């Protein structure tokens, strides 16, 4: 799959990230990003809740939603959009692919923003 304007970043081998698990990586010069493997697929979002400083990787996942462990703000893993208070700002999402068994993040090149 072609992801123009992005730089691939290897996260892990898919076999080390079974369904129901999450891995957090910190690409150089970026904030931590969590990759969730759900029964619907792989989703990557910025790891920090936009309401308060908490790791979403420590939250609870149900379907395509992750709930922040601090104040129960829920975010859609597909869009990053919160479903309601206390979070009002979406977390950034990142494209993910699998190439030869390796999970890749497709990071926007500097100067780009979503």
């Amino acid at each position: 799959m072609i992801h123009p304007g992005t730089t691939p970043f290897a996260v892990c081998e898919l076999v080390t990230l079974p369904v129901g698990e999450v891995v957090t990586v910190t690409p150089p010069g970026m904030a931590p990003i969590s990759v969730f493997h759900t029964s619907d697929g792989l989703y990557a979002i910025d790891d920090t809740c936009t309401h308060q400083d908490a790791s979403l990787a420590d939250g609870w996942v149900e379907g395509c939603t992750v709930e922040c462990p601090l104040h129960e703000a829920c975010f859609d893993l597909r869009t990053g959009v919160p479903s309601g208070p206390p979070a009002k700002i979406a977390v950034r999402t990142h494209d993910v692919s699998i190439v030869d068994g390796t999970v890749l993040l497709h990071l926007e090149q500097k100067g780009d923003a979503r």
Side-chain angles (χ1 to χ4, degrees), residues 20-22 36-39 56-67 77:
E21 295 294 322
V22 59
F36 295 83
H37 192 179
T38 73
S39 59
L56 293 174
D58 293 336
W60 295 270
V61 176
E62 184 171 331
C64 286
T65 301
V66 61
E67 180 179 318
L77 293 171

Side-chain angles (χ1 to χ4, degrees), residues 2 7-8 19 21 26 31 33-34 45 47 54-56 59 73 78 81 89 94 100-101 106-107:
I2 298 172
T7 302
V19 172
E21 295 294 322
T26 306
I33 297 171
S34 290
I45 60 173
D47 182 60
S55 170
L56 293 174
R78 298 166 293 193
V81 174
I89 300 170
H94 304 275
D100 296 329
H106 297 275
L107 304 173

Side-chain angles (χ1 to χ4, degrees), residues 18-101:
V19 172
E21 295 294 322
V22 59
V23 64
T24 302
V25 295
T26 306
M30 297 188 71
I33 297 171
S34 290
V35 179
F36 295 83
H37 192 179
T38 73
S39 59
D40 293 330
L42 294 165
Y43 301 98
I45 60 173
D46 282 356
D47 182 60
T48 305
C49 178
T50 58
H51 168 251
Q52 197 165 10
D53 192 18
S55 170
L56 293 174
D58 293 336
W60 295 270
V61 176
E62 184 171 331
C64 286
T65 301
V66 61
E67 180 179 318
C68 176
L70 283 186
H71 298 108
E72 302 173 354
C74 293
F75 297 89
D76 188 311
L77 293 171
R78 298 166 293 193
T79 63
V81 174
S83 61
K88 297 178 182 174
I89 300 170
V91 291
R92 187 168 50 169
T93 61
H94 304 275
D95 290 339
V96 181
S97 69
I98 302 166
V99 176
D100 296 329

